[in-house]
Amino acid sequence: MGEPTAEKDFYWKLFKSTFIISAFTIGGGFVIIPLLKAKFVDEYKWMDDKEALNLVAIAQSAPGAIAVNGAIVVGYKLAGIAGALAAIIGTIIPPFVILSVIFYFYAAFSSNYIVKTVLDGMQAGVGAVIASVVYDMGSGIVAGKQKSSLAIMAAAFLAVCIFNVNVVYVVIFCIALGVVRTLIQKRKEKKR
C-alpha cells in the first residue's frame, strides 16, 4: 500500500468519496461501514481489512453518529487533521441538506402514501445491509480462529440479545478487555 496522501488531489478524492457515500447511505451509521470498506480498502487500497476493522471498532465505540465517527477515524488515519476535516465535511453536508429539505416540506412528506411506502421498503434493504456488515466483520474473526475473540463475540451477542444487557456496558467491558489483552501481549513481546 502506497502513501495515499502522495496522490494528486488526495483531499478532493477523500472529500468526494465521503460525500457520495454519505449522500446515498440510507438507514443509519452501520450501513456506511461496508461502503467505506469498499471504497477505501477494496477500490483505493489505502488501508487493509484489519486496519479498517480496527477503525470501525473505534468509530462504533466513540460517542456520536457512527458515520461521522467513521469519517473522522478514516480521514485522520489517512492524512491527519486535514484528512479528518475533509472527510467530516464530505460526510455532514448531504444529511444537512437533505434534513433541511425534509424539514421545509415535512407536511407534504408526512401524509404522502408513496413516500411512506418507499421508506417501508428501504427498511428491508437496511436490514440486509446490516446483516452483511455483521457477516463481514464476524467472518474475519472466525477466519482468524482466535478462540478468545470468538468467545468474546459470542458472549457479547448472548449478553445483548438473550440477557438484555445494555449495549453500553458490553462496549465498555470489551474496551477494558481489549486494553488488558493488548497490555498482556506487549509484556509477552518484551520478554522475548
Side-chain angles (χ1 to χ4, degrees):
M1 275 183 289
E3 187 65 33
T5 53
E7 293 182 19
K8 185 179 179 193
D9 299 325
F10 166 76
Y11 293 104
W12 171 246
K13 202 173 188 180
L14 180 62
F15 169 83
K16 187 172 74 169
S17 297
T18 55
F19 182 91
I20 290 169
I21 289 170
S22 180
F24 295 102
T25 301
I26 296 171
F30 288 106
V31 177
I32 205 167
I33 295 167
L35 300 174
L36 289 173
K37 180 190 174 295
K39 183 62 77 176
F40 299 120
V41 176
D42 301 334
E43 184 179 337
Y44 292 155
K45 301 193 184 328
W46 286 347
M47 62 183 74
D48 61 27
D49 283 331
K50 188 172 183 178
E51 286 176 310
L53 186 61
N54 289 337
L55 294 177
V56 165
I58 292 168
Q60 288 176 337
S61 60
I66 192 169
V68 176
N69 291 345
I72 291 169
V73 296
V74 167
Y76 187 79
K77 191 303 185 187
L78 295 174
I81 299 291
L85 287 174
I88 290 169
I89 293 168
T91 301
I92 64 172
I93 288 175
F96 178 76
V97 171
I98 291 167
L99 288 174
S100 297
V101 170
I102 289 172
F103 175 76
Y104 188 74
F105 294 106
Y106 180 74
F109 285 150
S110 66
S111 61
N112 189 311
Y113 174 76
I114 294 171
V115 171
K116 285 182 181 180
T117 305
V118 168
L119 292 175
D120 288 343
M122 286 180 182
Q123 286 180 345
V126 168
V129 171
I130 291 174
S132 172
V133 170
V134 169
Y135 175 78
D136 287 345
M137 293 176 70
S139 64
I141 293 171
V142 173
K145 297 178 184 169
Q146 297 174 340
K147 290 180 183 177
S148 60
S149 295
L150 290 172
I152 293 168
M153 185 172 66
F157 175 79
L158 291 172
V160 173
C161 293
I162 305 297
F163 299 110
N164 295 322
V165 175
N166 190 321
V167 175
V168 173
Y169 299 131
V170 173
V171 169
I172 291 170
F173 177 76
C174 288
I175 289 170
L177 193 59
V179 169
V180 169
R181 286 177 66 186
T182 302
L183 292 174
I184 290 170
Q185 186 177 7
K186 285 187 178 189
R187 269 199 191 145
K188 286 180 182 178
E189 288 174 4
K190 284 182 181 180
K191 289 181 180 180
R192 291 181 189 171

